[in-house]
Amino acid sequence: MIRAGMDDLSTVLAESLRRHSARNAIRIGSVFHTYKELGEAVDQVRIHVRHATGDQVIGLMAHDHLLTYAAILALWAEGRAYLPLAPGSPIARNEEVLEQAGVRTVLSCCDDPGLRGATLVRIDGELPSMEMPVQHFPGTTPAYLLYTSGSTGKPKGVPISRAAVSAFVVAFDALGLDLGPDDRCLQMFELTFDLSVMSYLVPFLKGACVYTIPRNEIKYTYIHELLEDQQLTIALMVPSILNFLRPYFDEIQCPSLRANLFCGEALPLDLVDEWQASVPNARILNVYGPTEHTIFCTSLEYRRQGGNKAINGILAIGKPMEGTTVAIIDGEGNAVPNGIPGELYLAGAQATAGYWNDPGRNRESFVRIPNLPQDVRYYRTGDRCVQDEDGDLLFQGRVDHQVKVQGFRVELAEVEHHAKGLLSRRNMVVVAVRNASGNTELVLVTEGAEANDRELVRGLKDILPGYMVPSRVLHMATLPLNANGKIDRPAVAAWAGNSVE
Amino acid sequence: MEHSAIVELIRTTVTGILGHGRFEMREDLTALDVEGWDSLTHMSIISALEAAFNIKFKLREINKLRNMGSLIELIESKLA
């Protein structure tokens, strides 16, 4: 097992592959592959990589295939990093990412259209086998490079080092979920989303089996079948999955599940309260963290007996995990005491070294705090939080989703919280749009069939000051989600803006 | 309800959610063949069909849907 700052990622992975060779490592489609098969595929891809390039960061077309996962482990074994590309993404988007990253080689196990400026290397061909020794690499070596959407419209690259990945594994172990070879673990994420890293890496390190979701399946219904029919024991999900399944909770019963983690979005407490009966034996954890701080770094255990902390109906995100330090920073850039809201800053071994080739953005995002020790570099999350007396963090929304209406501050999450209470079970968001006269207006956008708008607005006027009440209600058949499965707020706002004009 | 009326109500319901009617009501039609019929619109289509026919699907029944033929069959069995 990885111990803090000691063992190299590839060494412990190689040991796990060897020790668990007869066990199932991964299920792709309905086919299981053993650790032995995974190990052989890793050796095969290592040879392809050595032949192809000496580059540090290499693109990887993330097909549903054993070779895709083998390629990740192979690149790590060779001291390289992977830049995942989704086969379903527009070619232009993948090319933009490759160009920004300066990546010239892309591994793939399938037929893919060509990508401008990059060489596609097929990794499915058999090559004469070679001796493949385990090598050690410095902790600062990148393990993966992910691109996330940037507020400026240009995606930003986040490199995560081997040491940061190891630090995550150590912190994850400290949660005490105690994964082992008998666990069956859900992997519901695109490899371009860093929650996928936990979903395959932790099981691989423990000899557990990873259950993937075929690209052409409806995700939430497939997850339901996996949970019940394959009797999964560990599942990390985004809360939106529960929103989709909510009308069917009474048909879902997964007694095998022993740990259910949620990450990636604010987790509404009432949603978990309703869901918990479907997973009667699971510890439910709400975990939080930005890509920049390696997968997730705070955790809160949901209490079935009640008394869960929440703000605006959003379950608390808990305490920093092992190795992570948090600070709440006010508008002047100083750390504030518990109980005072501010922007959440993170420091510790899981931190990225900084955005890829982007010194300007790094100066803005990675800072030292005047009234805290100067040898610690903090990352600004842009998330507005408050830390209570017990040290639990409560998420209050994005610092940049705060809007002003007629000079008044409005937290969109607060309006949404109250609207949700009136809309019962309907997906919705509140966005700020600029109306014809140039003022900011709040628009409530609901998903699906016609709501009784007038009643809804009247209900909100009963609860909120006038400036917080959306001036209009619009309906979308489906709220658009971004590549990570979260509601795509900018897209809703753009659509609402056009409708308002 | 007549078979043809069921098919027609499915067609208009799906059209209403997707905002277009650019698909043929073949039995072997799958979501992949239809622009905009993805993981996300699927649930909206299911809800709209439940409302249109005044029926309720089970989650397992939704999981088993493979094409338009199985959808029509499922709805007919619910109405029978």
Side-chain angles (χ1 to χ4, degrees):
Chain A
M1 206 43 254
I2 290 183
R3 282 155 289 164
M6 290 179 69
D7 298 324
D8 181 78
L9 201 54
S10 300
T11 316
V12 283
L13 275 167
E15 170 61 17
S16 178
L17 263 56
R18 193 192 55 73
R19 184 147 39 101
H20 302 108
S21 60
R23 290 184 168 269
N24 285 331
I26 190 164
R27 182 185 192 255
I28 300 200
S30 51
V31 178
F32 286 95
H33 301 276
T34 63
Y35 275 91
K36 182 166 187 284
E37 289 168 37
L38 177 61
E40 287 166 358
V42 170
D43 286 349
Q44 192 64 217
V45 179
R46 284 180 72 177
I47 304 171
H48 282 288
V49 171
R50 286 185 184 184
H51 282 309
T53 174
D55 288 354
Q56 176 83 87
V57 183
I58 298 177
L60 175 63
M61 272 295 171
H63 292 285
D64 298 324
H65 203 290
L66 175 68
L67 284 168
T68 302
Y69 289 88
I72 293 170
L73 306 190
L75 287 167
W76 288 351
E78 293 294 312
R80 323 290 183 89
Y82 72 98
L83 166 65
L85 300 168
S89 275
I91 290 173
R93 168 74 181 189
N94 283 339
E95 287 175 340
E96 185 190 11
V97 164
L98 286 170
E99 189 190 335
Q100 260 199 63
V103 167
R104 301 172 299 182
T105 305
V106 177
L107 308 183
S108 178
C109 59
C110 304
D111 277 324
D112 284 299
L115 292 162
R116 183 171 34 84
T119 308
L120 278 170
V121 174
R122 289 290 289 248
I123 52 174
D124 51 338
E126 290 268 332
L127 291 174
S129 62
M130 288 164 62
E131 191 63 25
M132 284 292 157
V134 176
Q135 293 172 272
H136 292 258
F137 298 94
T140 51
T141 310
Y144 58 84
L145 173 61
L146 296 186
Y147 272 78
T148 69
S149 142
S151 51
T152 57
K154 201 175 113 180
K156 44 189 183 184
V158 182
I160 295 296
S161 69
R162 298 166 82 96
V165 174
S166 296
F168 168 79
V169 172
V170 169
F172 183 88
D173 271 355
L175 293 176
L177 299 177
D178 201 22
L179 264 73
D182 292 329
D183 277 308
R184 295 175 294 280
C185 311
L186 179 67
Q187 200 306 72
M188 63 156 280
F189 301 101
E190 291 270 2
L191 291 175
T192 50
F193 191 0
D194 71 340
L195 294 181
S196 67
V197 181
M198 186 231 110
S199 304
Y200 69 76
L201 176 60
V202 175
F204 283 167
L205 287 168
K206 309 284 185 167
C209 187
V210 174
Y211 289 71
T212 64
I213 300 178
R215 191 170 297 279
N216 58 359
E217 291 285 344
I218 303 289
K219 223 171 224 178
Y220 31 92
T221 59
Y222 198 86
I223 287 173
H224 163 237
E225 292 203 326
L226 281 180
L227 287 173
E228 284 191 355
D229 301 348
Q230 301 295 322
Q231 302 182 357
L232 298 194
T233 59
I234 310 285
L236 169 66
M237 303 177 184
V238 284
S240 53
I241 295 296
L242 293 191
N243 278 323
F244 284 121
L245 292 175
R246 196 172 198 168
Y248 308 96
F249 279 176
D250 57 355
E251 297 171 34
I252 304 174
Q253 195 53 223
C254 316
S256 62
L257 199 69
R258 62 183 195 83
N260 194 183
L261 293 85
F262 291 94
C263 193
E265 287 177 296
L267 181 60
L269 177 56
D270 63 343
L271 191 59
V272 193
D273 284 340
E274 283 182 44
W275 168 247
Q276 51 88 21
S278 296
V279 290
N281 302 312
R283 286 174 65 184
I284 297 174
L285 273 70
N286 188 25
V287 292
Y288 158 88
T291 301
E292 287 86 341
H293 210 77
T294 312
I295 314 177
F296 52 79
C297 57
T298 81
S299 163
L300 175 110
E301 182 144 7
Y302 170 80
R303 284 190 278 206
R304 287 177 185 268
Q305 67 273 30
N308 290 289
K309 296 174 185 178
I311 287 186
N312 295 326
I314 300 301
L315 187 60
I317 56 174
K319 296 185 174 62
M321 286 161 59
E322 192 175 310
T324 290
T325 304
V326 302
I328 304 292
I329 305 298
D330 66 15
E332 272 73 56
N334 290 307
V336 297
N338 288 353
I340 312 278
E343 185 177 351
L344 176 64
Y345 284 43
L346 301 169
Q350 287 176 231
T352 175
Y355 296 114
W356 197 246
N357 303 331
D358 202 341
R361 184 125 53 179
N362 287 337
R363 275 190 296 276
E364 275 173 36
S365 300
F366 300 92
V367 296
R368 290 171 210 283
I369 310 299
N371 60 345
L372 290 178
Q374 288 305 290
D375 57 342
V376 182
R377 187 196 66 147
Y378 283 87
Y379 165 66
R380 311 175 55 164
T381 64
D383 289 322
R384 198 177 147 78
C385 288
V386 63
Q387 194 166 21
D388 71 9
E389 286 173 359
D390 305 327
D392 281 315
L393 293 159
L394 291 116
F395 172 75
Q396 297 184 315
R398 287 289 299 176
V399 290
D400 44 10
H401 279 162
Q402 186 182 82
V403 299
K404 286 196 168 183
V405 179
Q406 301 153 42
F408 292 100
R409 275 192 198 176
V410 177
E411 288 290 351
L412 297 178
E414 191 181 350
V415 184
E416 286 170 2
H417 169 68
H418 292 290
K420 261 181 198 153
L422 299 169
L423 278 166
S424 77
R425 297 179 170 216
R426 194 189 300 264
N427 256 339
M428 47 79 50
V429 282
V430 176
V431 293
V433 301
R434 195 171 272 254
N435 63 20
S437 63
N439 285 327
T440 299
E441 271 188 38
L442 299 183
V443 177
L444 195 156
V445 184
T446 69
E447 188 175 68
E450 298 290 308
N452 190 337
D453 301 347
R454 206 177 299 167
E455 210 171 284
L456 174 61
V457 171
R458 204 180 301 133
L460 286 173
K461 279 185 176 159
D462 285 342
I463 312 170
L464 297 172
Y467 62 85
M468 289 182 74
V469 178
S471 53
R472 56 188 95 201
V473 182
L474 299 172
H475 311 282
M476 284 182 106
T478 307
L479 293 175
L481 303 190
N482 62 26
N484 293 340
K486 302 180 192 181
I487 290 173
D488 189 344
R489 287 171 175 275
V492 178
W495 176 84
N498 287 333
S499 308
V500 166
E501 267 173 14
Chain B
M1 233 174 142
E2 291 280 324
H3 177 81
S4 59
I6 290 173
V7 172
E8 179 55 19
L9 186 50
I10 294 174
R11 194 189 63 75
T12 53
T13 306
V14 174
T15 299
I17 295 294
L18 296 179
H20 71 82
R22 295 189 297 277
F23 55 91
E24 247 185 278
M25 291 294 287
R26 305 188 316 263
E27 293 226 327
D28 62 349
L29 182 86
T30 72
L32 294 175
D33 303 325
V34 184
E35 181 196 332
W37 193 333
D38 55 25
S39 210
L40 311 174
T41 45
H42 190 65
M43 235 23 170
S44 306
I45 289 171
I46 292 294
S47 308
L49 288 170
E50 286 180 335
F53 287 98
N54 193 27
I55 53 176
K56 176 91 165 74
F57 297 117
K58 293 255 181 223
L59 189 52
R60 290 258 169 199
E61 293 169 337
I62 301 168
N63 298 351
K64 284 198 198 82
L65 294 174
R66 281 293 165 259
N67 55 31
M68 187 55 77
S70 62
L71 177 63
I72 294 168
E73 203 177 301
L74 176 62
I75 291 174
E76 281 183 327
S77 73
K78 293 259 160 196
L79 294 172

